[in-house]
Amino acid sequence: MRKHLGSRKTRSVLSLLILAVGLSIVVSACGSSNKSSTTSGGGGGGGGSSTSSQAADVTKCGTKPGVKATGTPIKLGAIVTKQPGTDFTDGATMADAYFHCVNDNGGINGHPIQYKWYEEQTNPAQIAGFAHKLIQTDKVVGVVGGFSIIECAVDHKYWESLGIYELDAGIAPECWGTSNSAPPNMGPRYSSDGAVQGVVRAGAKKIAFDQSNVPGTGYIAAGPASVAKALNVPIQQFKDNVPIQDANSIALKLVQAAGSDGGVVLNFTPPEALKILQAAQQQNLQDRVKAWACSTPCNTDFVAKALGQQWDGKLLVNAELNVTDNNGPQTRLYRAVFDKYGSKVSGGLGSFSQMGFVMAQQTVMALESIKGGTYNIKTVNQAIKNLKGFKTDMLCKPWYYGQAPLHIPNNTDYTTTPHNGKMVIKDGCIPINAADPGIAQVRAIEKKDPSLSQPGTPVPGA
């Protein structure tokens, strides 16, 4: 472990990352915790109830309905950010919910999935320590469902040295820009690109872009800047510390920067974005600009309900995943799993828990493809890397991993808006503008190998 932490290149990457943004987050090496789940058991009620009347049959999680898996556990792990102003645990808790469902319905050829994750506070040494602990102490064979601000930057070299192909989400550019990481989402940079495209479609002639002041803001800001330039729209960028203390001032600042013919684009977690939007409403600012938009975290009914009908049709959310009440088979299964097993999913139905569900399904699909019943680091990660044509009604187009220097398989997405307390689709699937260099590069990869994104074997439960 010391050798890894002390490598010159790793120190350089971390130093640049943190120094570039002037880390303002309180770092705590002592506030960590780990969460684990070892067997099936039903979870005991949901963390809230889905509102759909078309619930799916949760026995579709596995290949042997109603039969609990009792074999040798397949151990998987993750690292997740949880700190004041940033809570990404819904991804891991929803993945855990799905794994419980799988375990209750046959598991993986009779083997239950044993899932464990560690909660970190943006401390590189802490995160690197958790990565080594997962491998050396917990003996996991796959790293899936992680959701962190900087974990990809901290650990990607370690995963590459071990042949680990991580299924994750996050903020750091290494989540999408390296060979051994492939998220189901496109991340805050490319989702903010899509939000910029949304307000321009709504007629905005100038953009005020604001995001939380956490590591990675410079990387994120470069995306909206490139897209705005390609669309010939000026953009002014801001960043604000979280948790937000003075939302009124921020809302007023952004509206003044955008002007009456401009648009405001926010990149925050749902509770923080909500503070700004509600502050705008309290000051009657919501109609002072052409349009408001958010990156994907706002695609949750929690935001729509909290805002009320005054924002119906006025807030445009770039949604990396479909709305949570669509009637596709995978979304119905997601709601049913949430209801029965999702008691720990504190944020309810929304983008973060959808990502956790998708990552869990991708993992199960990979595990079920392994022949011979041997589940070790080599077989599990080869199976994850081989994933392609993963088609679900939660994503605009089939997802893939494959062998590539970067992974942005989700690069076409939806625009949603609040309506009567729910998020609804406003615009269907629209490609992210290839003015962002990463998007242009991944489109070239897909053009060279079209099989990556062509629909393949249906996902479990379809």
Side-chain angles (χ1 to χ4, degrees), residues 341-392:
Y341 298 92
S343 61
K344 297 177 183 175
V345 185
S346 59
L349 299 176
S351 294
F352 291 173
S353 59
Q354 283 179 306
M355 293 175 200
F357 183 82
V358 170
M359 286 188 278
Q361 281 201 311
Q362 291 165 338
T363 302
V364 169
M365 189 173 187
L367 293 175
E368 290 183 340
S369 73
I370 296 173
K371 308 298 182 186
T374 298
Y375 304 96
N376 54 33
I377 286 180
K378 182 177 180 180
T379 61
V380 168
N381 286 279
Q382 183 64 49
I384 290 173
K385 189 176 74 168
N386 288 344
L387 286 171
K388 63 180 181 179
F390 175 90
K391 183 172 173 55
T392 169

Side-chain angles (χ1 to χ4, degrees), residues 158-205:
Y158 183 50
W159 302 139
E160 290 164 15
S161 72
L162 296 174
I164 297 281
Y165 286 84
E166 188 177 16
L167 281 169
D168 56 354
I171 290 179
E174 289 83 357
C175 295
W176 293 269
T178 56
S179 61
N180 289 43
S181 171
N185 63 320
M186 65 178 66
R189 171 169 172 156
Y190 304 113
S191 184
S192 295
D193 288 358
V196 166
Q197 293 173 238
V199 296
V200 173
R201 288 198 303 273
K205 305 299 183 186

Side-chain angles (χ1 to χ4, degrees), residues 102-413:
V102 171
N103 291 347
D104 279 354
N105 294 283
I108 307 298
N109 295 319
H111 297 277
I113 294 171
Q114 181 176 318
Y115 190 49
K116 185 171 190 175
W117 68 93
Y118 291 96
E119 294 172 357
E120 50 83 9
Q121 291 76 44
T122 327
N123 180 333
Q126 178 196 43
I127 293 168
F130 285 154
H132 283 73
K133 194 171 184 180
L134 282 171
I135 300 299
Q136 296 171 359
T137 303
D138 301 319
K139 306 296 183 184
V140 304
V141 295
V143 181
V144 303
F147 205 145
S148 170
I149 294 176
I150 64 170
E151 190 277 331
C152 295
V154 175
D155 291 330
H156 77 97
K157 287 291 186 184
Y158 183 50
W159 302 139
E160 290 164 15
S161 72
L162 296 174
I164 297 281
Y165 286 84
E166 188 177 16
L167 281 169
D168 56 354
I171 290 179
E174 289 83 357
C175 295
W176 293 269
T178 56
S179 61
N180 289 43
S181 171
N185 63 320
M186 65 178 66
R189 171 169 172 156
Y190 304 113
S191 184
S192 295
D193 288 358
V196 166
Q197 293 173 238
V199 296
V200 173
R201 288 198 303 273
K205 305 299 183 186
K206 183 180 179 184
I207 295 168
F209 175 74
D210 194 13
Q211 60 177 319
S212 54
N213 186 20
V214 298
T217 52
Y219 155 75
I220 295 170
S226 62
V227 171
K229 182 178 180 180
L231 298 176
N232 296 315
V233 177
I235 185 169
Q236 188 172 356
Q237 305 227 15
F238 302 89
K239 55 187 178 184
D240 285 291
N241 295 333
V242 290
I244 290 172
Q245 301 298 320
D246 186 0
N248 286 337
S249 295
I250 294 173
L252 182 60
K253 170 185 70 178
L254 296 174
V255 167
Q256 289 175 337
S260 59
D261 62 349
V264 175
V265 176
L266 305 176
N267 179 46
F268 290 89
T269 58
E272 301 304 310
L274 187 59
K275 290 178 184 177
I276 299 173
L277 295 169
Q278 288 181 322
Q281 184 172 325
Q282 290 166 2
Q283 299 176 86
N284 295 317
L285 299 175
Q286 69 268 31
D287 295 321
R288 293 268 299 275
V289 295
K290 279 282 187 182
W292 291 77
C294 271
S295 57
T296 203
C298 291
N299 185 36
T300 167
D301 292 347
F302 157 71
V303 170
K305 290 175 183 175
L307 287 175
Q309 294 184 348
Q310 293 185 57
W311 285 88
D312 285 4
K314 294 180 181 176
L315 176 65
L316 310 176
V317 181
N318 179 268
E320 298 162 318
L321 295 98
N322 207 337
V323 292
T324 59
D325 64 347
N326 94 78
N327 283 319
Q330 294 311 312
T331 301
R332 283 188 281 123
L333 181 61
Y334 155 72
R335 292 194 297 263
V337 171
F338 172 81
D339 280 348
K340 184 169 182 178
Y341 298 92
S343 61
K344 297 177 183 175
V345 185
S346 59
L349 299 176
S351 294
F352 291 173
S353 59
Q354 283 179 306
M355 293 175 200
F357 183 82
V358 170
M359 286 188 278
Q361 281 201 311
Q362 291 165 338
T363 302
V364 169
M365 189 173 187
L367 293 175
E368 290 183 340
S369 73
I370 296 173
K371 308 298 182 186
T374 298
Y375 304 96
N376 54 33
I377 286 180
K378 182 177 180 180
T379 61
V380 168
N381 286 279
Q382 183 64 49
I384 290 173
K385 189 176 74 168
N386 288 344
L387 286 171
K388 63 180 181 179
F390 175 90
K391 183 172 173 55
T392 169
D393 50 74
M394 289 188 178
L395 300 173
C396 276
K397 67 179 192 180
W399 181 97
Y400 58 89
Y401 208 120
Q403 183 72 48
L406 79 168
H407 294 89
I408 319 171
N410 183 354
N411 53 67
T412 299
D413 59 2

